[in-house]
Amino acid sequence: MTALTLSTAAASGLRADAIVVGVAKGAKGPVVAPGAEAVDKAYDGALAGILETLGASGGEGEVTKLPAPTGFKAPVVVAVGLGAVPEKDDTFSAEALRRAAGAAARALAGAKKAVFALPITDAADAGVLAEGAALGAYAFDAYKENGKDAKNAKAPLAEVTLLGGKPRDAAYKAALARAIAVTEELNRARDLINTPPNDLYPEAFAAVATAAGKEHGIKVQVLDEKALQKGGFGGILGVGAGSAAAPRLVKLSYTSSKATKHLAFVGKGITYDSGGISLKPAGHNETMKCDMSGAAAVFAAVVAAARLGLEVNVTGWLALAENMPSGSATRPGDVLRMYSGKTVEVLNTDAEGRLVLADALWKASEEKPDAIIDVATLTGAMVLALGNRTFGVMANDDAFRTAIVEAAEEVGEESWPMPLPEHLRKGMDSPTADIANMGERMGGGLVAGLFLKEFVGEGITWAHLDIAGPAFNESGPFGYTPKGGTGSAVRTLVRLAELTAAGDLG
């Protein structure tokens, strides 16, 4: 993990591998951003012109390297694009700062230390820059020879010092501590998502959760296959029936003595999804280790809440199973009796996420939390609707749905409110069971949401986050987002816990 520190020292006197400055896109060319005044002065005020000569425009994520001016202990200046110059009397958005810091950190892979002279007007800016740097520097190399990429052999940027951050100021120290806690747990979620399924199966994921619980004072309860059978968790057992790796339901409980509210987070944790008997075709199953991204997000959010000492009770439920075809696998046409007692006709074994979530949602409902939020890589239909960077938000309460979308926007995650049209429910009517796990093809993401709604306890506020698009980035890295597991929804869940603790949610 990249070490993060604050400093008010002069940029010229700090020993580092590089000084990072911001550059914005102005009407007549690049403009040096606040925070880099001393660096610009060392270039006799010509830094913007030099960058323009080198082809820089200030566009978002653009990175330009040049020799540092005489007198600087760092040999290189790295100019990172912040996007358009803000309107008069306005400042750069938190997300612009976060993405710029991430792009710079990734460009400096292999360096030991970098000094970031980027715009900081208050403690909040320091926090988002720290987040961007820590997330942008992330790399997953656990399976590379000697822990490194044999081709590039570059370790992540080891240390970042944020200039303009006041190291003795309480607000700045709190912002940095929050950024460290959230990004360390988010990066742990990324590690879990990127881990191959032969090493991360339900029992192994449960062991990771148990170890984290001991470290951070979180109570962890693991229901193994015998306990699931005894409890009647037909959905989780049905999905895991075809695999040699038995399913698990993991409960993580963080409690605060000062809490007056209780949130429940429920995560889909399919550690590998072959589709089961309804087998996925070639080209659609190679990245299905990421189908536990929802459970990873829930796990990370609960641990982050504990590390931050939030005054809210947070329970995380990880519904873990591996969906495989075999002679013992659930077949299309089988009927499962769920933990709620409701029966489900399985028309497609590749619509398995909703089955494990249904059991976990009903179990979570028994504790009567103030709200339940489930997170899942649930449907390809949501990816078709919203693309690869935006998750859909459905809820049984419009105000709650709006609050989640606003919280996501606040922390830099793209989301979009989606409806739950009641007329789509009829498509899941079954002649054999209480409900089928499939309905109309058009609007499939909404159909899945309506299915989950059936398993939420009466009177409980609930929301569903379908992160199928942004959970796993198959294209190139951008901003602070790497290729592979992204940790989608972690920051949104943590922010919702913070808002609840402050009495600003529900």
Side-chain angles (χ1 to χ4, degrees):
M1 182 69 184
T2 302
L4 300 166
T5 58
L6 304 170
S7 177
T8 54
S12 59
L14 292 173
R15 295 188 182 278
D17 295 299
I19 304 287
V20 176
V21 300
V23 57
K25 192 170 187 177
K28 297 181 180 180
V31 177
V32 177
E37 292 85 356
V39 179
D40 188 29
K41 184 178 179 180
Y43 284 107
D44 296 325
L47 180 55
I50 295 171
L51 290 170
E52 186 172 25
T53 300
L54 293 173
S57 68
E60 182 183 305
E62 182 183 77
V63 174
T64 307
K65 297 181 180 180
L66 64 159
T70 303
F72 274 64
K73 292 183 177 179
V76 175
V77 169
V78 176
V80 61
L82 287 158
V85 173
E87 297 293 329
K88 186 178 180 181
D89 299 326
D90 204 354
T91 58
F92 291 99
S93 70
E95 185 63 2
L97 295 177
R98 198 181 280 114
R99 290 181 179 180
R106 186 173 59 255
L108 287 167
K112 292 183 178 179
K113 182 178 180 179
V115 173
F116 281 33
L118 293 169
I120 292 181
T121 58
D122 55 22
D125 285 347
V128 298
L129 287 173
E131 282 183 20
L135 296 177
Y138 172 83
F140 184 72
D141 58 11
Y143 290 82
K144 298 287 187 178
E145 185 178 4
N146 299 322
K148 294 181 179 179
D149 186 323
K151 180 180 179 181
N152 298 315
K154 289 185 179 180
L157 174 62
E159 182 181 351
V160 170
T161 295
L162 301 175
L163 286 189
K166 303 172 184 178
R168 297 183 181 180
D169 183 278
Y172 279 82
K173 288 195 291 185
L176 185 64
R178 180 192 184 278
I180 291 171
V182 173
T183 56
E184 284 185 352
E185 296 313 320
L186 193 154
N187 282 338
R188 174 155 43 182
R190 288 172 169 178
D191 283 347
L192 288 168
I193 297 164
N194 289 326
T195 298
N198 57 316
D199 282 343
L200 190 76
Y201 41 91
E203 184 180 2
F205 197 152
V208 172
T210 300
K214 291 179 180 178
E215 181 181 358
H216 297 291
I218 300 167
K219 183 179 179 182
V220 180
Q221 179 185 9
V222 179
L223 299 185
D224 62 14
E225 63 271 36
K226 292 181 180 179
L228 292 171
Q229 190 71 47
K230 184 177 180 180
F233 291 86
I236 297 174
L237 288 167
V239 172
S243 175
R248 296 288 187 270
L249 178 61
V250 179
K251 177 186 179 183
L252 301 102
S253 302
Y254 162 67
T255 57
S256 168
S257 61
K258 298 180 180 180
T260 59
K261 296 286 187 178
H262 177 199
L263 289 179
F265 299 152
V266 177
K268 172 187 172 184
I270 304 299
T271 56
Y272 181 74
D273 181 19
S274 71
I277 298 296
S278 305
L279 193 67
K280 293 178 185 291
H284 291 78
N285 55 19
E286 290 80 0
T287 61
M288 282 298 102
K289 64 181 181 181
C290 78
D291 214 18
M292 38 59 69
S293 296
V298 166
F299 167 60
V302 175
V303 177
R307 290 181 61 175
L308 294 171
L310 300 183
E311 295 179 2
V312 58
N313 292 336
V314 183
T315 304
W317 298 88
L318 316 181
L320 308 175
E322 187 176 69
N323 187 23
M324 296 290 286
S326 75
S328 60
T330 295
R331 298 157 289 242
D334 282 355
V335 173
L336 303 177
R337 185 170 296 278
M338 312 297 281
Y339 178 69
S340 68
K342 190 169 291 189
T343 55
V344 176
E345 183 180 11
V346 179
L347 299 180
N348 186 329
T349 64
D350 197 23
E352 84 299 329
R354 64 200 70 182
L355 298 175
V356 300
L357 285 173
D359 276 355
L361 283 168
W362 194 259
K363 184 64 175 175
S365 296
E366 290 181 342
E367 297 188 346
K368 303 294 182 185
D370 293 285
I372 299 176
I373 303 164
D374 77 69
V375 187
T377 47
L378 205 61
T379 65
M382 196 58 62
V383 185
L384 290 174
L386 299 178
N388 292 319
R389 298 191 183 184
T390 305
F391 62 76
V393 182
M394 286 155 266
N396 60 5
D397 180 288
D398 288 349
F400 189 55
R401 181 184 63 186
T402 298
I404 292 173
V405 172
E406 290 175 350
E409 181 179 13
E410 185 180 349
V411 297
E413 296 203 274
E414 297 180 39
S415 69
W416 196 257
M418 301 294 283
L420 289 172
E422 286 298 329
H423 70 271
L424 291 176
R425 170 61 182 84
K426 185 172 178 58
M428 289 184 283
D429 286 349
S430 165
T432 309
D434 295 318
I435 190 172
N437 76 329
M438 292 291 289
E440 293 183 29
R441 181 168 176 267
M442 299 303 167
L446 313 183
V447 170
L450 285 166
F451 179 91
L452 295 178
K453 184 182 176 183
E454 298 271 330
F455 297 89
V456 177
E458 186 176 354
I460 298 175
T461 302
W462 158 81
H464 162 56
L465 279 54
D466 190 337
I467 61 170
F472 197 84
N473 176 26
E474 294 187 61
S475 61
F478 58 93
Y480 51 85
T481 302
K483 185 178 177 68
T486 65
S488 177
V490 172
R491 288 176 293 145
T492 297
L493 294 179
V494 172
R495 187 58 187 146
L496 290 169
E498 289 175 326
L499 291 168
T500 303
D504 295 330
L505 185 71

